[in-house]
């Protein structure tokens, strides 16, 4: 491990903030669309105490930043997810767990790792869940952002739970997986019914434990990505990082019928790569088409907290065509510009979409995003929304206009930080006119650190939230 005095993930707008506040009647520039009613919430790391050893961006305690819109007004609040680990450390008054690039704390009586709940959010079956891929979800109350507690589906959850479950808006089902870094089965695949019951979990065979951050669904299939970012405890003995990219291993894409299991999964191989995030997948004739942000390699989680600066670390939008009849794989780049945090109109998740949205990576060694790209996947064209000089955003969530059937009729919503003014705002961009100025900018009365994934929950959904005191 290399000792560093300055960790870039604890500086600038990556630095944590201390206060949890609630602020009403926020200052608006522009006009909030009157039918934008609901709450945008974004998750991200915000270490409660100075970290032990090296800090990685993935380590910080989950903090939620929410902006609720109603009657043309906006209200902001931010709250930590009060996980067990957060409460134990708060009681102690200092950090107890070290992070992912430090040796595992096998002697920690409260567990080797802290479930930080810091990565993403999902609304499903009346529950709003904060997610972390190494453990169980946490239920969150809306609009208060209070933590109700761990959510284990009446103890039916037998695996970890990905930060990127997939909700099929047609059937209402939610597909998820959990991976196990060290012990077979290295992968579990589960389905939660439209009413919120965990119906089934099946093991899927993998040759070795891999970091599997995301997956994809189509109308009939689920697609797993067995990519060569591997866990190997033996490396620690050799003084190497626990998690490493192995370029000599292939990428494997496993296609399983949605309600199938390991006996009917089919694997497709392609050259080594890494994918944090999928945009979407769909079926077309004999093919399953997967669109995702592909990196040629990755140095994430290898000892140094400074992010990789090789071009291979930059994600670019790619399309894979996996032919179920011939077994062939065709892989093609859709853009040469690096971008990540892909999103679609999730009402059409698993079906062919015409549009996809990503956050454009700035030419910077840090993961900074200087604009949004809207792809027209039908013809390969794209348009870009620029945040402006010295302004950086993150993942944009697509918010559909209520009662529309037009795929791109809605808004893209993301937090933007202005490094010149040292202020944060929420920008609302018309998805049908993304090169234009935002239709509304909501000024946030405190800095919102860069983070990971967000979700939109409509006012109608919030009203239907199921009592969150249940396990
Ligand atoms: Fe993610």
């Amino acid at each position: 491990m290399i000792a560093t005095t300055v960790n870039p993930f604890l500086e600038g707008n990556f630095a944590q903030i201390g206060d949890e506040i609630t602020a009403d009647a926020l200052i608006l520039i522009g006009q909030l669309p009157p039918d934008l009613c609901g709450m945008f919430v974004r998750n991200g790391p915000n270490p409660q105490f100075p970290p032990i050893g090296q800090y990685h961006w993935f380590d910080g305690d989950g903090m939620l930043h929410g902006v609720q819109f109603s009657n043309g007004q906006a209200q902001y609040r931010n709250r930590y997810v009060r996980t067990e680990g957060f409460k134990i450390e708060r009681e102690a008054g200092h950090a107890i767990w070290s992070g992912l690039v430090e040796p595992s704390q096998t002697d920690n009586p409260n567990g080797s790792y802290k479930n930080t709940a810091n990565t993403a959010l999902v609304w499903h079956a009346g529950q709003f869940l904060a997610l972390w891929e190494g453990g169980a979800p946490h239920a969150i109350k809306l609009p208060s952002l209070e933590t109700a507690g761990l959510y284990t589906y009446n103890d039916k959850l037998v695996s970890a739970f990905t930060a990127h479950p997939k909700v099929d808006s047609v059937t209402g089902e939610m597909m998820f997986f959990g991976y196990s870094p060290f012990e077979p089965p290295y992968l579990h695949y589960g389905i939660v019914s439209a009413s919120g019951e965990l119906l089934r979990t099946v093991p899927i065979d993998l040759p070795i434990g891999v970091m599997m951050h995301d997956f994809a669904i189509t109308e009939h299939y689920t697609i797993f990505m067995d990519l060569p970012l591997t866990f190997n405890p033996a490396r620690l003995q050799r003084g190497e990082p626990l998690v490493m990219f192995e370029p000599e291993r292939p990428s494997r894409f496993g296609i399983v019928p949605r309600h199938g299991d390991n006996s009917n999964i089919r694997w497709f191989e392609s050259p080594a790569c890494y994918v944090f995030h999928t945009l979407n997948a769909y079926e077309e004739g004999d093919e399953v088409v997967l669109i995702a942000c592909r990196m040629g390699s990755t140095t994430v989680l290898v000892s140094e907290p400074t992010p990789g600066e090789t071009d291979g670390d930059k994600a670019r939008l790619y399309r894979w065509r996996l032919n179920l009849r011939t077994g062939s794989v065709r892989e093609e780049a859709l853009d040469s510009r690096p971008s990540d945090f892909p999103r679609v109109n999730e009402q059409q998740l698993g079906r062919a979409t015409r549009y996809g949205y990503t956050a454009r990576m700035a030419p910077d060694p840090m993961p900074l995003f200087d604009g949004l790209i809207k792809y027209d996947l039908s013809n390969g064209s794209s348009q870009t929304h620029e945040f402006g000089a010295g302004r950086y955003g993150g993942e944009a969530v697509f918010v559909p206009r209520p009662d529309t059937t037009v795929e791109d009729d809605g808004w893209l919503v993301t937090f933007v930080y202005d490094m010149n003014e040292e202020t944060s705002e929420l920008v609302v961009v018309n998805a049908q006119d993304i090169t234009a100025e935002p239709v509304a900018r909501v000024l946030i009365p405190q800095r919102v650190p860069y983070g990971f994934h967000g979700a939109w929950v409509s006012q109608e959904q919030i009203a239907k939230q199921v009592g969150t005191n249940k396990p």
Side-chain angles (χ1 to χ4, degrees), residues 119-120 133 163-164 213-214 276-277 341 452-453:
T119 313
E133 70 190 39
H164 294 292
H213 185 66
D214 199 355
F276 273 105
H277 301 119
F341 287 126
F452 301 133
H453 300 282

Side-chain angles (χ1 to χ4, degrees), residues 70-305:
S70 55
N71 305 320
Q73 292 228 328
Q75 182 188 60
Y76 165 82
R77 55 166 72 72
N78 67 306
R79 297 290 184 274
Y80 274 112
V81 184
R82 279 164 166 73
T83 65
E84 218 33 56
F86 175 93
K87 289 189 275 190
I88 290 168
E89 291 186 331
R90 175 150 286 198
E91 183 76 16
H94 57 81
I96 289 173
W97 281 268
S98 54
L100 295 172
V101 296
E102 291 287 332
S104 169
Q105 291 176 307
T106 46
D107 56 348
N108 189 326
N110 296 301
S112 304
Y113 292 98
K114 179 172 57 174
N115 179 347
T116 57
N118 71 2
T119 313
L121 296 153
V122 69
W123 172 269
H124 182 250
Q127 296 291 342
F128 192 53
L129 304 174
L131 305 170
W132 180 74
E133 70 190 39
H138 285 77
I140 304 295
K141 299 177 189 177
L142 292 174
S144 69
L145 301 184
E146 285 169 33
T147 304
L150 269 184
Y151 197 79
T152 58
Y153 294 95
N154 295 313
D155 294 331
K156 289 184 182 168
L157 182 65
V158 295
S159 67
F161 195 100
T162 174
H164 294 292
K166 302 290 179 237
V167 178
D168 181 331
S169 69
V170 177
T171 69
E173 294 166 298
M174 178 167 69
M175 276 54 72
F176 72 94
F177 67 89
Y179 69 83
S180 165
F182 308 119
E183 302 278 337
Y186 294 111
L187 182 61
H188 281 99
Y189 166 42
I191 301 180
V192 180
S193 74
S195 62
E197 188 188 350
L198 205 167
L199 294 178
R200 66 198 297 265
T201 306
V202 295
I204 302 284
D205 289 342
L206 299 181
I208 185 173
V210 293
M211 179 172 278
M212 191 180 292
H213 185 66
D214 199 355
F215 72 143
I217 60 164
T218 68
E219 192 178 345
H220 300 101
Y221 298 103
T222 295
I223 301 127
F224 293 105
M225 300 185 291
D226 175 15
L227 308 177
L229 184 62
T230 61
F231 289 90
N232 184 348
R235 287 195 202 111
L236 286 176
Q237 267 99 61
R238 302 195 294 263
E240 294 172 4
L242 174 66
V243 183
M244 280 186 83
F245 185 75
E246 296 190 58
E248 66 281 5
R249 296 179 75 95
S251 297
R252 300 169 72 235
F253 298 91
I255 301 180
V256 61
R258 179 175 293 183
H259 294 269
D261 57 34
N262 191 60
S263 67
N264 43 24
I265 193 166
R266 286 187 59 187
W267 290 100
F268 296 74
E269 285 195 9
S270 69
C273 71
Y274 196 69
V275 171
F276 273 105
H277 301 119
T278 62
L279 179 91
N280 197 12
Y282 57 94
E283 296 155 31
E284 193 171 77
D286 294 327
E287 293 178 331
V288 166
V289 182
L290 171 68
I291 302 177
C293 294
R294 177 193 188 273
M295 308 154 97
S297 63
T298 178
T299 54
V300 74
L301 288 171
V302 292
S303 70
E304 289 179 74

